[in-house]
Amino acid sequence: MIIILIGAPGSGKGTQAAALCGKFGFTHLSTGDIFRAEMAAKTALGLKAAEYVKSGKLVPDHVVTEMVAIKLEDLKGGRYLLDGFPRNLEQAQTLAGVLSKPGAAIDLVLFLNLTHAEAMKRLTSRRLCGGCGAVFNVLSRPPQTEGKCDKCGEALVQRDDDTEATARKRLMVYEDLTRPLAAYYKAEQVFYEIDAGQSPEEVTASLAAIIQPLLAAR
Ligand code: AP5
Ligand code: MG
């Protein structure tokens, strides 16, 4: 089973992926998280990706698709939640090619729709735990102790690409390259649009209501 989460930076893909993986046991595949881990470990892939991620541009397609193809190699039988991939039409077409083998297909595309104004507010107020990576928000999900992770006590940090200027750039890139995927996938009958402006719990409930019948039918 493959579910794709599409949405602007800050629309809640990571937040919802964590909730849905906890609820339904999906394997979460976030290309952004993979790049950040590779960048932190200063691997060859991380060094290649860093200049793009830090400036809010997309990492070149061949770098991304090679990495995702390795992760998806063993698709058959797994339940995957893709967060941040595909990100443009070329990547969507590459994914379609990878999935053309028997037993693998896209089951659902879930589009988290959010205004840019709300996305900017969420991105510039997001904080991450430098230790375990847990996600907080100084406005909507503050930690119990200011600046410290509730789970492991490590200091909270801001993502390098969450500055106002880079967040704006990412939203422009999203509008140009990623949003057109909504129309691309709408043409198939697996597309649902969700109001991502609701509370995190309401968004999770909306998504779960779409996913549950699909799982029940398996
Ligand atoms: P990536 O990490 O995928 O970033 P993104 O798409 O910009 O999305 P974000 O992670 O910023 O937001 P999110 O939707 O996950 O929101 P979250 O749940 O954290 O990509 C980063 C970079 O990597 C790209 O710019 C690119 O360079 C590269 N890259 C990645 N994939 C690529 C690809 N396929 N091809 C090429 N390059 C690629 O929530 C945000 C904040 O809001 C949090 O603080 C959260 O607590 C809060 N929040 C969440 N939901 C709600 C709610 N309902 N109400 C109030 N607050 C909320
Ligand atoms: Mg994310």
Side-chain angles (χ1 to χ4, degrees), residues 93-199:
Q93 281 155 1
T94 302
L95 180 64
V98 172
L99 298 183
S100 62
K101 55 186 180 182
I106 296 167
D107 293 276
L108 279 176
V109 178
L110 302 170
F111 174 47
L112 297 177
N113 201 2
L114 189 68
T115 63
H116 283 202
E118 178 62 21
M120 276 302 291
K121 198 165 110 189
R122 289 188 191 175
L123 291 170
T124 49
S125 54
R126 173 168 51 192
R127 299 292 182 271
L128 297 186
C129 172
C132 69
V135 179
F136 295 87
N137 191 289
V138 294
L139 301 175
S140 62
R141 195 173 173 237
Q144 279 160 6
T145 308
E146 199 185 324
K148 286 213 184 313
C149 178
D150 292 349
K151 294 184 182 162
C152 72
E154 286 286 319
L156 301 186
V157 294
Q158 215 176 350
R159 252 168 67 170
D160 286 345
D161 59 348
D162 276 349
T163 59
E164 181 145 356
T166 309
R168 267 194 209 293
K169 165 84 184 159
R170 288 158 59 206
L171 284 166
M172 279 168 56
V173 169
Y174 163 78
E175 207 54 49
D176 283 352
L177 300 175
T178 310
R179 198 183 173 90
L181 283 181
Y184 172 86
Y185 281 121
K186 222 177 208 169
E188 316 205 2
Q189 300 222 320
V190 291
F191 181 90
Y192 290 86
E193 181 171 329
I194 296 95
D195 173 11
Q198 307 172 88
S199 72

Side-chain angles (χ1 to χ4, degrees), residues 32-74:
D33 286 350
I34 297 171
F35 286 134
R36 280 184 290 279
E38 299 279 339
M39 282 159 55
K42 296 190 165 55
T43 64
L45 175 61
L47 294 173
K48 235 187 269 178
E51 63 169 301
Y52 300 97
V53 175
K54 286 186 178 166
S55 62
K57 294 183 195 151
L58 294 191
V59 176
D61 288 341
H62 70 276
V63 177
V64 184
T65 50
E66 199 178 303
M67 174 182 96
V68 174
I70 294 169
K71 303 268 176 199
L72 292 184
E73 237 165 35
D74 195 25

Side-chain angles (χ1 to χ4, degrees), residues 76-89:
K76 243 176 139 182
R79 286 180 177 180
Y80 287 85
L81 193 56
L82 305 191
D83 156 4
F85 180 89
R87 198 103 160 181
N88 58 23
L89 289 170

Side-chain angles (χ1 to χ4, degrees), residues 5-21:
L5 274 181
I6 297 179
S11 58
K13 301 181 297 296
T15 301
Q16 294 306 324
L20 296 173
C21 289

